[in-house]
PDB file of all heavy atoms in Angstrom:
ATOM      1  N   GLU A  44       6.821  -0.907 -15.098  1.00  0.00           N
ATOM      2  CA  GLU A  44       7.714  -0.628 -16.227  1.00  0.00           C
ATOM      3  C   GLU A  44       7.434   0.758 -16.821  1.00  0.00           C
ATOM      4  O   GLU A  44       8.368   1.517 -17.107  1.00  0.00           O
ATOM      5  CB  GLU A  44       7.543  -1.695 -17.303  1.00  0.00           C
ATOM      6  CG  GLU A  44       8.547  -1.582 -18.420  1.00  0.00           C
ATOM      7  CD  GLU A  44       8.453  -2.754 -19.389  1.00  0.00           C
ATOM      8  OE1 GLU A  44       8.201  -3.880 -18.933  1.00  0.00           O
ATOM      9  OE2 GLU A  44       8.633  -2.508 -20.588  1.00  0.00           O
ATOM     10  N   ILE A  45       6.165   1.109 -16.977  1.00  0.00           N
ATOM     11  CA  ILE A  45       5.804   2.420 -17.515  1.00  0.00           C
ATOM     12  C   ILE A  45       6.283   3.534 -16.587  1.00  0.00           C
ATOM     13  O   ILE A  45       6.808   4.556 -17.050  1.00  0.00           O
ATOM     14  CB  ILE A  45       4.282   2.508 -17.755  1.00  0.00           C
ATOM     15  CG1 ILE A  45       3.899   1.618 -18.936  1.00  0.00           C
ATOM     16  CG2 ILE A  45       3.834   3.944 -17.981  1.00  0.00           C
ATOM     17  CD1 ILE A  45       2.404   1.387 -19.090  1.00  0.00           C
ATOM     18  N   LEU A  46       6.112   3.354 -15.286  1.00  0.00           N
ATOM     19  CA  LEU A  46       6.599   4.355 -14.325  1.00  0.00           C
ATOM     20  C   LEU A  46       8.107   4.542 -14.442  1.00  0.00           C
ATOM     21  O   LEU A  46       8.599   5.673 -14.471  1.00  0.00           O
ATOM     22  CB  LEU A  46       6.245   3.954 -12.897  1.00  0.00           C
ATOM     23  CG  LEU A  46       4.860   4.299 -12.399  1.00  0.00           C
ATOM     24  CD1 LEU A  46       4.641   3.707 -11.012  1.00  0.00           C
ATOM     25  CD2 LEU A  46       4.633   5.790 -12.371  1.00  0.00           C
ATOM     26  N   CYS A  47       8.824   3.444 -14.508  1.00  0.00           N
ATOM     27  CA  CYS A  47      10.292   3.523 -14.611  1.00  0.00           C
ATOM     28  C   CYS A  47      10.706   4.235 -15.897  1.00  0.00           C
ATOM     29  O   CYS A  47      11.609   5.072 -15.881  1.00  0.00           O
ATOM     30  CB  CYS A  47      10.913   2.128 -14.541  1.00  0.00           C
ATOM     31  SG  CYS A  47      10.848   1.411 -12.894  1.00  0.00           S
ATOM     32  N   GLN A  48      10.045   3.906 -16.991  1.00  0.00           N
ATOM     33  CA  GLN A  48      10.363   4.553 -18.265  1.00  0.00           C
ATOM     34  C   GLN A  48       9.990   6.033 -18.242  1.00  0.00           C
ATOM     35  O   GLN A  48      10.755   6.879 -18.705  1.00  0.00           O
ATOM     36  CB  GLN A  48       9.647   3.842 -19.412  1.00  0.00           C
ATOM     37  CG  GLN A  48      10.217   2.483 -19.725  1.00  0.00           C
ATOM     38  CD  GLN A  48       9.402   1.741 -20.782  1.00  0.00           C
ATOM     39  OE1 GLN A  48       8.363   2.197 -21.231  1.00  0.00           O
ATOM     40  NE2 GLN A  48       9.898   0.566 -21.162  1.00  0.00           N
ATOM     41  N   SER A  49       8.828   6.353 -17.695  1.00  0.00           N
ATOM     42  CA  SER A  49       8.361   7.745 -17.657  1.00  0.00           C
ATOM     43  C   SER A  49       9.292   8.639 -16.845  1.00  0.00           C
ATOM     44  O   SER A  49       9.508   9.799 -17.197  1.00  0.00           O
ATOM     45  CB  SER A  49       6.962   7.820 -17.044  1.00  0.00           C
ATOM     46  OG  SER A  49       6.029   7.157 -17.835  1.00  0.00           O
ATOM     47  N   TYR A  50       9.797   8.104 -15.740  1.00  0.00           N
ATOM     48  CA  TYR A  50      10.651   8.892 -14.855  1.00  0.00           C
ATOM     49  C   TYR A  50      12.142   8.656 -15.093  1.00  0.00           C
ATOM     50  O   TYR A  50      12.974   9.274 -14.443  1.00  0.00           O
ATOM     51  CB  TYR A  50      10.301   8.611 -13.389  1.00  0.00           C
ATOM     52  CG  TYR A  50       8.982   9.229 -12.984  1.00  0.00           C
ATOM     53  CD1 TYR A  50       7.784   8.551 -13.145  1.00  0.00           C
ATOM     54  CD2 TYR A  50       8.937  10.515 -12.451  1.00  0.00           C
ATOM     55  CE1 TYR A  50       6.577   9.119 -12.787  1.00  0.00           C
ATOM     56  CE2 TYR A  50       7.740  11.102 -12.085  1.00  0.00           C
ATOM     57  CZ  TYR A  50       6.551  10.394 -12.256  1.00  0.00           C
ATOM     58  OH  TYR A  50       5.358  10.973 -11.906  1.00  0.00           O
ATOM     59  N   GLY A  51      12.462   7.738 -16.015  1.00  0.00           N
ATOM     60  CA  GLY A  51      13.868   7.454 -16.317  1.00  0.00           C
ATOM     61  C   GLY A  51      14.629   6.906 -15.133  1.00  0.00           C
ATOM     62  O   GLY A  51      15.766   7.306 -14.884  1.00  0.00           O
ATOM     63  N   ILE A  52      14.004   5.988 -14.399  1.00  0.00           N
ATOM     64  CA  ILE A  52      14.652   5.413 -13.223  1.00  0.00           C
ATOM     65  C   ILE A  52      14.693   3.891 -13.334  1.00  0.00           C
ATOM     66  O   ILE A  52      13.947   3.284 -14.103  1.00  0.00           O
ATOM     67  CB  ILE A  52      13.941   5.825 -11.918  1.00  0.00           C
ATOM     68  CG1 ILE A  52      12.489   5.332 -11.902  1.00  0.00           C
ATOM     69  CG2 ILE A  52      14.010   7.328 -11.716  1.00  0.00           C
ATOM     70  CD1 ILE A  52      11.769   5.551 -10.595  1.00  0.00           C
ATOM     71  N   SER A  53      15.544   3.291 -12.529  1.00  0.00           N
ATOM     72  CA  SER A  53      15.663   1.830 -12.497  1.00  0.00           C
ATOM     73  C   SER A  53      14.609   1.253 -11.556  1.00  0.00           C
ATOM     74  O   SER A  53      14.030   1.969 -10.734  1.00  0.00           O
ATOM     75  CB  SER A  53      17.046   1.428 -12.006  1.00  0.00           C
ATOM     76  OG  SER A  53      17.213   1.818 -10.652  1.00  0.00           O
ATOM     77  N   TYR A  54      14.400  -0.045 -11.671  1.00  0.00           N
ATOM     78  CA  TYR A  54      13.463  -0.721 -10.777  1.00  0.00           C
ATOM     79  C   TYR A  54      13.917  -0.590  -9.322  1.00  0.00           C
ATOM     80  O   TYR A  54      13.104  -0.371  -8.424  1.00  0.00           O
ATOM     81  CB  TYR A  54      13.316  -2.206 -11.128  1.00  0.00           C
ATOM     82  CG  TYR A  54      12.743  -2.441 -12.493  1.00  0.00           C
ATOM     83  CD1 TYR A  54      13.488  -3.077 -13.480  1.00  0.00           C
ATOM     84  CD2 TYR A  54      11.455  -2.041 -12.815  1.00  0.00           C
ATOM     85  CE1 TYR A  54      12.967  -3.304 -14.746  1.00  0.00           C
ATOM     86  CE2 TYR A  54      10.922  -2.260 -14.079  1.00  0.00           C
ATOM     87  CZ  TYR A  54      11.682  -2.887 -15.038  1.00  0.00           C
ATOM     88  OH  TYR A  54      11.155  -3.096 -16.281  1.00  0.00           O
ATOM     89  N   SER A  55      15.219  -0.730  -9.112  1.00  0.00           N
ATOM     90  CA  SER A  55      15.709  -0.653  -7.728  1.00  0.00           C
ATOM     91  C   SER A  55      15.480   0.736  -7.137  1.00  0.00           C
ATOM     92  O   SER A  55      15.098   0.858  -5.968  1.00  0.00           O
ATOM     93  CB  SER A  55      17.183  -1.046  -7.641  1.00  0.00           C
ATOM     94  OG  SER A  55      17.983  -0.178  -8.404  1.00  0.00           O
ATOM     95  N   LEU A  56      15.654   1.785  -7.923  1.00  0.00           N
ATOM     96  CA  LEU A  56      15.400   3.136  -7.425  1.00  0.00           C
ATOM     97  C   LEU A  56      13.908   3.340  -7.178  1.00  0.00           C
ATOM     98  O   LEU A  56      13.515   3.961  -6.183  1.00  0.00           O
ATOM     99  CB  LEU A  56      15.925   4.196  -8.391  1.00  0.00           C
ATOM    100  CG  LEU A  56      15.717   5.648  -7.963  1.00  0.00           C
ATOM    101  CD1 LEU A  56      16.312   5.915  -6.583  1.00  0.00           C
ATOM    102  CD2 LEU A  56      16.296   6.599  -8.992  1.00  0.00           C
TER     103      LEU A  56
END
Side-chain angles (χ1 to χ4, degrees):
E44 187 173 323
I45 289 168
L46 277 175
C47 288
Q48 289 175 355
S49 296
Y50 287 88
I52 61 173
S53 66
Y54 297 116
S55 61
L56 180 55

